[in-house]
């Protein structure tokens, strides 16, 4: 039986980890959908939903439940009810995270522990993924209890991305240990070593812009921080001005978000130019350059999507509304850029420079 488990582990750790990565992306997308439909409080209790395990809860049943649980009434009052679809988005998010993702992470951890071909690094990464999925569950509870307070939602997403990176760490270390490294991540060690610190800076920058962007989107009124006058007054300008002094962090968080996005975008543009110049001189391999170029291009495209979202503002029934689907795409693309840049960094650390160190040590030993 033990050998069968080990054989299963040797064959499937990479594939199972890849499946878990896919499920995690679905969970993040479901969370983004909840946000754009403003359905984060559609299941006011946790882990149940209106005291049940289902999602088909009528408006009358919702009102009855609020009457019995007045402390659970959300920010819009007991008279506000949710559609079945809105409740379903929160329900499926919890189902994917709790009933599918959690057990898969624990299974992966168990298999990795039994696989003698894998180094302690993989086992450490797997343990961290288990701890992070537990932390995510706790943050989900906190988010519900705090009625989706802006910082709790931003922290929840940030933690989800860190969990995703722990899975990518597992996958990278596993393909390295099993000597199954795909060609599309075989970076030139000379260029990788030279660019490591710069990529760290880009990873941190994209993470901070993403975190602040979620903070903006979940703070009431923050999306209107630069006005709704349209092009160019509200974007790319801010209230018809190039610069505006920040006196209220929450209300003007969009201004800070734009400033940080501009700084990171400028660094990416300069980075692309420098590596293009180095590549033109024929000093190094082109694979790492292409990954950074692709990430930078997506980042610049996402700046445009953010602008389109701001410009989509219009007045309906005396309320300012936006084309929220753009917000979801903006969020997912920002997450993708962060994941790509951080994955480049992890590949350098886990595979490229690891292999280089091994070659040097083998040469010394001989």
């Amino acid at each position: 039986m033990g050998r069968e488990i080990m054989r299963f582990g040797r064959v499937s750790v990479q594939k199972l980890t890849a499946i878990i990565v896919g499920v995690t992306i679905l969970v993040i997308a479901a969370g983004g959908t909840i946000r754009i439909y403003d359905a984060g409080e559609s299941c006011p209790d946790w882990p149940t939903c209106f005291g049940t395990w289902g999602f088909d809860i009528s408006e009358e049943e919702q009102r009855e439940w609020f009457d019995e649980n007045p402390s659970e009434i959300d920010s819009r009052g007991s008279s506000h009810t949710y559609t079945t679809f809105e409740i379903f988005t929160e329900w499926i998010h919890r189902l994917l995270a709790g009933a599918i993702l959690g057990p898969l992470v624990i299974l992966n951890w168990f298999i990795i522990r039994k696989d003698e071909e894998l180094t302690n690094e993989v086992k450490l990464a797997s343990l961290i993924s288990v701890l992070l999925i537990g932390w995510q569950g706790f943050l989900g509870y906190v988010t519900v209890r705090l009625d989706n307070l802006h910082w709790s939602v931003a922290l929840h997403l940030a933690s989800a991305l860190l969990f995703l990176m722990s899975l990518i760490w597992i996958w990278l270390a596993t393909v390295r240990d099993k000597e199954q490294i795909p060609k599309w991540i075989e970076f030139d060690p000379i260029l990788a070593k030279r660019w490591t610190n710069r990529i760290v800076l880009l990873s941190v920058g994209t993470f901070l812009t993403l975190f602040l962007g979620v903070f903006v989107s979940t703070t009431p009124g923050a999306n209107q921080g630069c006005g709704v006058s349209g092009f160019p007054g509200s974007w790319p300008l801010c209230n018809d001005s190039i610069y505006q002094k920040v006196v209220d962090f929450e209300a003007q968080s969009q201004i800070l978000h734009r400033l940080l996005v501009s700084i990171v975008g400028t660094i990416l543009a300069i980075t692309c130019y420098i590596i293009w110049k180095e590549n033109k001189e024929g000093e190094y391999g082109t694979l790492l350059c292409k990954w950074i170029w692709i990430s930078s291009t997506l980042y610049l495209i996402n700046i445009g999507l953010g602008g389109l979202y701001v410009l989509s503002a219009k007045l309906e029934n005396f309320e300012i509304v936006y084309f929220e689907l753009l917000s979801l795409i903006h969020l997912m693309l920002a997450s993708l850029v962060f994941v790509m840049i951080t994955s480049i960094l992890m590949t350098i650390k886990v595979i490229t420079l690891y292999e280089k160190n091994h070659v040097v040590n083998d040469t010394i030993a001989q």
Side-chain angles (χ1 to χ4, degrees):
M1 181 67 179
R3 291 182 178 178
E4 289 299 321
I5 292 176
M6 288 173 62
R7 185 180 299 114
F8 176 65
R10 283 198 298 269
V11 170
S12 65
V13 169
Q14 305 97 300
K15 293 180 180 179
L16 180 56
T17 303
I19 290 172
I20 299 173
V21 168
V23 175
T24 302
I25 293 172
L26 289 178
V27 171
I28 294 174
T33 303
I34 290 170
R35 183 181 60 77
I36 70 170
Y37 282 101
D38 202 11
E41 299 174 69
S42 59
C43 284
D45 49 332
W46 189 95
T48 55
C49 186
F50 286 100
T52 75
W53 296 103
F55 60 85
D56 189 10
I57 304 164
S58 68
E59 294 184 359
E60 182 179 351
E61 290 173 325
Q62 293 177 51
R63 293 191 184 96
E64 290 177 356
W65 190 87
F66 281 130
D67 289 339
E68 296 172 359
N69 301 271
S71 62
E72 301 290 353
I73 296 174
D74 65 33
S75 57
R76 284 170 285 191
S78 60
S79 61
H80 181 83
T81 57
Y82 296 90
T83 66
T84 299
F85 174 76
E86 289 172 335
I87 298 174
F88 175 76
T89 59
E90 174 66 18
W91 181 86
I92 193 65
H93 177 68
R94 295 184 183 184
L95 178 67
L96 287 171
I100 298 178
L101 186 58
L104 284 177
V105 171
I106 295 174
L107 174 63
N108 203 35
W109 170 74
F110 179 76
I111 294 172
I112 289 172
R113 287 180 65 246
K114 298 295 183 179
D115 194 330
E116 297 178 355
E117 289 184 358
L118 298 176
T119 59
N120 289 333
E121 180 182 353
V122 184
K123 296 173 183 179
L124 173 62
S126 180
L127 176 60
I128 290 175
S129 72
V130 173
L131 295 176
L132 284 175
I133 195 65
W135 171 247
Q136 269 299 94
F138 172 72
L139 284 181
Y141 165 78
V142 170
T143 302
V144 171
R145 299 310 301 175
L146 295 179
D147 289 340
N148 289 266
L149 195 61
H150 42 55
W151 66 261
S152 67
V153 176
L155 182 60
H156 194 41
L157 174 62
S159 181
L161 291 174
L162 293 178
F163 167 70
L164 178 58
M165 297 318 303
S166 74
L167 298 176
I168 293 175
W169 181 15
I170 293 171
W171 186 85
L172 289 171
T174 299
V175 296
R176 179 202 66 201
D177 290 349
K178 293 182 179 295
E179 299 182 349
Q180 297 176 2
I181 302 172
K183 292 186 179 298
W184 45 271
I185 54 173
E186 291 182 346
F187 298 150
D188 185 286
I190 299 176
L191 184 60
K193 186 175 182 180
R194 168 180 283 191
W195 281 92
T196 297
N197 292 337
R198 298 171 188 176
I199 297 174
V200 168
L201 179 62
L202 294 174
S203 175
V204 173
T206 52
F207 179 81
L208 291 176
T209 57
L210 177 59
F211 184 88
L212 191 53
V214 175
F215 186 91
V216 171
S217 66
T218 53
T219 300
N223 278 326
Q224 303 170 32
C226 286
V228 291
S229 60
F231 181 85
S234 55
W235 194 90
L237 300 178
C238 183
N239 292 316
D240 298 308
S241 175
I242 297 177
Y243 171 77
Q244 190 170 28
K245 184 178 180 180
V246 177
V247 294
D248 185 330
F249 173 77
E250 288 192 11
Q252 296 179 284
S253 53
Q254 186 185 111
I255 300 173
L256 297 175
H257 175 62
R258 290 191 187 188
L259 177 62
L260 187 57
V261 166
S262 300
I263 293 173
V264 175
T266 300
I267 294 174
L268 278 169
I270 294 173
T271 299
C272 288
Y273 171 75
I274 294 174
I275 63 175
W276 170 78
K277 188 175 180 180
E278 289 182 348
N279 185 56
K280 186 177 180 181
E281 295 171 356
E283 294 184 35
Y284 308 106
T286 61
L287 187 57
L288 180 57
C289 300
K290 290 178 180 178
W291 274 106
I292 296 177
W293 285 335
I294 293 171
S295 302
S296 302
T297 300
L298 291 176
Y299 186 89
L300 296 176
I301 290 174
N302 207 31
I303 291 177
L305 287 177
L308 287 176
Y309 174 72
V310 173
L311 295 176
S312 72
K314 59 182 179 180
L315 184 65
E316 287 186 1
N317 298 322
F318 304 102
E319 290 186 4
I320 301 297
V321 297
Y322 295 85
F323 184 32
E324 294 296 347
L325 181 59
L326 274 177
S327 179
L328 177 60
I329 297 173
H330 187 54
L331 168 68
M332 295 305 295
L333 193 53
S335 300
L336 174 61
V337 172
F338 164 74
V339 169
M340 286 182 66
I341 292 177
T342 308
S343 295
I344 293 170
L345 177 63
M346 295 183 72
T347 302
I348 291 172
K349 292 290 188 179
V350 176
I351 293 179
T352 309
L353 298 185
Y354 179 92
E355 287 189 326
K356 182 181 179 183
N357 291 336
H358 263 20
V359 170
V360 173
N361 291 336
D362 291 343
T363 303
I364 295 174
Q366 291 175 359

